[in-house]
Amino acid sequence: MSDYGHDLVFGSFVTPSADNPDRTVGVAVLAEQVGLDLVTFQDHPYQPAFLDTWTLLSFVAARTSRVHLAANVTNLPLRPPAVLARSVASLDLLSGGRVGLGLGAGAFWDAIEAMGGRRLTPGQGVRALEEAIEVVRQLWDVETRGGVRVDGEFYRVVGAKRGPAPAHAVPIWLGAYKPRMLQLTGRRADGWLPSLGYLQPGDLTRGNAIIDDAAQQAGRSPQDVRRLLNIAGEFSAVGRGPLNGPAEQWAEELAELALEEGVGTFILGSDDPDDLRRFAGEVAPAVRELVAAERDRGAAPARTPEPEPEPVAAPPVRASRATATGGAFAVVPTPDDGVRRSERQVWDEAARPTGPAPDPERTYTPQEQATGAHLVQVHDGLRAELTQIHDLIEQVAAGEIDAGAARSHINTMTMRQNRWTLGVYCESYCRIVTTHHTIEDQSLFPRLRARDPRLAPVVDRLEQEHHVIHDVLEGVDRALVAYVGSPDGLAELRAAVDLLTDALLSHLSYEERELVEPLARLGIA
């Protein structure tokens, strides 16, 4: 058993895909919104299908405020360590101390050579990596007098000025598998970062032993080296294998890895938003609770032989109804069905102004149709997420009744997991709605006013409704706070979400009715 007692960290491993940069950044931002601690990207500078990792890290750092960021792992042969050290320190300063440095000795040598890098043997790669760590650490060490001097076999720095110093003690994590790399990890690194898919049974135990011995021989404690692990899997209703099953199965397996193999950081390789939500909302809190309980008892984790109740699961988002074909305008705005869940009304719907009538003789290109359809598609996503929140509320309500009756530890834990999941999901949704409205207020609406002044009354009304919805969202936030503080707060939360549903669905239908055709006609994306 090798539990190093590290605080548990949960992160994401996002593909830095260049074919849809907005989605790549959006997945990274979502990781922060759902509560993950870390966002990482692989670094393959020779891969034209990928965004440059350090450019992407900088962009994501500017779009987030809390989540930590790192390359997983940096391709050292194509990134000179002296320049890399200053890049990392600069981003750490700009982001408020949120950067880690993952380093790898290199792979895919044909591609590295094609980009101008030097092909190295495995032994050379280890020696080059150790020299690079020395260069990086010296450049960050602004307390020592004199310039940086490393006269190595692969890297030479002869008197470079030190600095800037990072905002915090940036950890250096090594992607290591072979004994010499593992020994280097124990001597010089702050973390071991392998991928579970590349490991054979027993490799974690053997790797930990090598790292621990090397650390002790270097006068360090094995606890100085955090154990990180890239993982991948599939969420499903029933267990089909390791990390392939319901969230509680994931939680048990990861808790065992934490307690038996010392893993303190779990990084999920997935670009699926639903996977990230479940990992952050269901798996992470359950793992933390299981590990904390076992650490308190000082015992190995006990496997539960019987299947446990499945935590809250959100249904998949439905496909949009919007179409994009050429000819007559064919995008159908979503009608308001008139169904209201709340007795409150936040505005007078009859007082809404209308815009100019479309020209019946005009035809639209497929691109113009797609521009109009995009608003419906965005709104369909908001509607689907709202439906999921209602489903979550009802599942949580049913689960709390069952858990309260059972009074067992596992049911009580599941109840807490489900409430936490619902809270995170609601908070994330409120942020998404606010961001959507902010983008419209600051970018979309001013362009509509400028391009067609006849739309000004409609745009003014939509902006007013944004302010009203903001107040309703604050009511949901207050209800969430009350719900966390008291199990009796579910009724208040349900009422707040009902009011939000009425207001938002009405608003989205009105906006589509008035704007999908102007967006297509004016070519405003």
Side-chain angles (χ1 to χ4, degrees):
M1 181 173 179
S2 300
D3 178 10
Y4 299 97
H6 295 139
D7 291 338
L8 297 183
V9 172
F10 294 86
S12 63
F13 192 8
V14 180
T15 306
S17 176
D19 64 352
N20 191 341
D22 288 343
R23 187 181 191 280
T24 299
V25 174
V27 172
V29 172
L30 177 66
E32 175 175 84
Q33 292 176 338
V34 299
L36 291 176
D37 311 298
L38 175 67
V39 171
T40 69
F41 302 97
Q42 57 191 292
D43 181 34
H44 297 286
Y46 40 75
Q47 174 54 266
F50 288 169
L51 297 165
D52 175 71
T53 297
W54 275 100
T55 305
L56 177 59
L57 285 167
S58 299
F59 193 89
V60 171
R63 291 285 305 276
T64 55
S65 60
R66 179 192 58 79
V67 73
H68 285 240
L69 304 160
N72 189 351
V73 291
T74 305
N75 189 291
L76 181 62
L78 291 175
R79 299 194 184 274
V83 177
L84 178 64
R86 288 192 169 137
S87 297
V88 173
S90 298
L91 186 55
D92 197 54
L93 289 165
L94 291 167
S95 66
R98 294 191 286 127
V99 177
L101 176 56
L103 283 176
F108 306 104
W109 292 104
D110 289 344
I112 289 172
E113 277 192 314
M115 288 285 287
R118 175 184 173 185
R119 182 184 292 269
L120 301 177
T121 67
Q124 289 174 327
V126 176
R127 296 198 302 274
L129 180 55
E130 186 158 17
E131 290 177 8
I133 293 173
E134 180 64 23
V135 171
V136 170
R137 292 203 188 280
Q138 284 200 37
L139 274 161
W140 289 346
D141 179 13
V142 297
E143 301 300 323
T144 299
R145 296 176 62 109
V148 174
R149 296 192 178 274
V150 176
D151 188 11
E153 178 184 358
F154 304 94
Y155 300 111
R156 293 183 70 248
V157 183
V158 287
K161 295 185 182 297
R162 299 173 184 268
H168 83 305
V170 173
I172 295 178
W173 307 321
L174 300 189
Y177 297 91
K178 300 298 184 180
R180 282 178 295 187
M181 282 286 289
L182 294 167
Q183 290 166 358
L184 174 59
T185 303
R187 289 196 310 271
R188 301 298 306 274
D190 304 300
W192 176 31
L193 177 52
S195 294
L196 185 60
Y198 294 157
L199 297 174
Q200 298 299 317
D203 279 355
L204 282 173
T205 300
R206 287 187 288 269
N208 279 331
I210 295 172
I211 291 171
D212 292 353
D213 288 344
Q216 290 169 340
Q217 290 176 18
R220 310 175 70 202
S221 166
Q223 290 182 314
D224 293 340
V225 184
R226 173 172 283 272
R227 318 303 157 112
L228 307 93
L229 188 63
N230 294 318
I231 61 173
E234 182 177 344
F235 289 104
S236 56
V238 296
R240 298 187 178 94
L243 295 182
N244 188 336
E248 64 266 25
Q249 175 189 324
W250 280 60
E252 288 184 357
E253 292 175 6
L254 297 188
E256 183 174 339
L257 286 169
L259 293 163
E260 296 290 345
E261 305 291 356
V263 179
T265 298
F266 296 97
I267 305 172
L268 176 64
S270 177
D271 300 325
D272 187 330
D274 287 337
D275 285 351
L276 296 184
R277 290 188 179 101
R278 297 196 70 175
F279 189 58
E282 300 176 37
V283 177
V287 175
R288 287 189 170 106
E289 186 159 354
L290 288 170
V291 170
E294 296 302 331
R295 284 174 174 172
D296 287 343
R297 285 196 290 268
R303 304 286 293 187
T304 304
E306 296 297 326
E308 301 164 6
E310 184 172 0
V312 172
V317 177
R318 68 177 185 271
S320 171
R321 300 159 289 98
T323 59
T325 58
F329 193 67
V331 180
V332 180
T334 307
D336 185 347
D337 61 10
V339 175
R340 299 292 181 263
R341 295 170 174 264
S342 175
E343 297 180 356
R344 291 182 55 193
Q345 291 185 341
V346 293
W347 50 51
D348 181 5
E349 296 176 357
R352 286 168 166 164
T354 58
D359 180 0
E361 302 299 322
R362 193 189 193 284
T363 60
Y364 301 80
T365 67
Q367 183 177 358
E368 290 173 330
Q369 299 269 19
T371 300
H374 182 67
L375 182 66
V376 180
Q377 292 165 351
V378 171
H379 286 179
D380 276 350
L382 295 176
R383 293 185 186 96
E385 297 271 353
L386 194 55
T387 298
Q388 291 178 21
I389 290 176
H390 283 285
D391 290 342
L392 290 170
I393 288 175
E394 298 311 317
Q395 291 181 52
V396 168
E400 290 194 354
I401 293 173
D402 293 342
R407 299 293 181 189
S408 70
H409 170 74
I410 188 61
N411 277 283
T412 301
M413 185 181 75
T414 301
M415 178 178 68
R416 287 198 295 270
Q417 293 171 23
N418 291 350
R419 292 171 65 187
W420 195 92
T421 301
L422 174 59
V424 168
Y425 207 103
C426 286
E427 290 174 5
S428 174
Y429 184 77
C430 290
R431 285 194 294 268
I432 291 169
V433 172
T434 299
T435 300
H436 173 64
H437 286 174
T438 300
I439 292 171
E440 290 185 332
D441 290 342
Q442 295 180 356
S443 178
L444 179 65
F445 291 168
R447 286 193 287 166
L448 285 169
R449 281 195 190 92
R451 296 287 298 278
D452 190 346
R454 297 175 298 171
L455 291 169
V458 170
V459 171
D460 290 344
R461 172 65 187 228
L462 290 170
E463 286 184 335
Q464 293 169 9
E465 293 190 1
H466 284 181
H467 291 295
V468 175
I469 291 173
H470 176 74
D471 293 339
V472 175
L473 289 170
E474 288 189 337
V476 173
D477 184 67
R478 290 192 295 271
L480 278 171
V481 172
Y483 175 58
V484 171
S486 169
D488 299 329
L490 186 60
E492 181 181 349
L493 177 59
R494 182 187 278 115
V497 173
D498 285 346
L499 183 61
L500 173 63
T501 301
D502 290 349
L504 189 58
L505 294 184
S506 171
H507 172 80
L508 297 180
S509 294
Y510 171 55
E511 182 172 305
E512 289 177 24
R513 186 190 79 193
E514 296 301 324
L515 296 189
V516 288
E517 189 278 336
L519 289 173
R521 170 168 49 87
L522 300 173
I524 298 176

